[in-house]
Amino acid sequence: LAPTQVLPGSPWTNGTVQTPLSMYRELQSLVFSVKRRNETPGALVSNDALYQKYADSYDSQGRPLAMPAKLAALPWLTTNAINSATQGTTTTASDVFCGDWSQVLLGQRLGIEIRVLTERYAENGSVGILAYSRNDVQVARLSAMGVYRYLQAAV
């Protein structure tokens, strides 16, 4: 993504620590950064640890924090293919992505190749099957995507 689509901006010294007073501010900044580029955000995507951080957020009296209506209207999808990492003093920093996911293109560089492997498994009377393909992912319009880097996730 272009630097203007990466929040909170450079440098990301210690990541972003959410507090009950500013819990959803970063997510709203991300969603509206996409909307300000005249794109339609379709979903937020993060890992489970970051999602848990928001799901387990409470105010000082122990009441769950409500997600703002604009954010609650967006699906929040999770995948643990997005790693948590150390950023400065934040040891569980993670990224959250937002965008118009219909602008993500999948390309197939080569057809699917399938090979039957008989030699290695012959002693057991078995066969192995090896399948592989070369694919690519590209965004049609970069303005349709955004990322907030290094948010503090749950431990």
Side-chain angles (χ1 to χ4, degrees):
L1 296 173
T4 57
Q5 292 155 264
V6 180
L7 300 174
S10 181
W12 308 290
T13 308
N14 291 317
T16 302
V17 178
Q18 302 91 329
T19 66
L21 295 177
S22 66
M23 193 66 187
Y24 293 101
R25 188 172 294 155
E26 295 84 10
L27 294 180
Q28 289 188 119
S29 295
L30 175 59
V31 169
F32 282 100
S33 74
V34 174
K35 288 177 72 64
R36 283 193 309 271
R37 292 189 296 272
N38 295 318
E39 301 290 352
T40 304
L44 295 166
V45 179
S46 73
N47 65 18
D48 285 320
L50 187 61
Y51 182 74
Q52 180 185 357
K53 175 74 173 189
Y54 284 91
D56 288 346
S57 60
Y58 297 90
D59 66 14
S60 61
Q61 297 178 353
R63 296 175 299 207
L65 291 176
M67 183 181 283
K70 289 281 185 190
L71 291 176
L74 283 177
W76 190 331
L77 309 173
T78 61
T79 174
N80 289 314
I82 301 172
N83 294 330
S84 290
T86 298
Q87 177 63 24
T89 59
T90 302
T91 58
T92 58
S94 186
D95 300 339
V96 61
F97 298 86
C98 179
D100 180 355
W101 298 96
S102 69
Q103 297 303 311
V104 177
L105 306 174
L106 302 175
Q108 187 174 11
R109 291 178 174 248
L110 295 174
I112 297 174
E113 298 285 329
I114 299 175
R115 293 186 188 170
V116 177
L117 307 174
T118 55
E119 298 82 11
R120 170 68 179 94
Y121 304 97
E123 70 236 18
N124 297 329
S126 302
V127 294
I129 298 176
L130 172 66
Y132 61 93
S133 176
R134 288 191 60 199
N135 301 292
D136 201 358
V137 176
Q138 185 67 35
V139 178
R141 289 192 319 266
L142 284 177
S143 63
M145 304 303 291
V147 60
Y148 201 106
R149 304 282 327 263
Y150 307 123
L151 282 165
Q152 180 189 35
V155 178

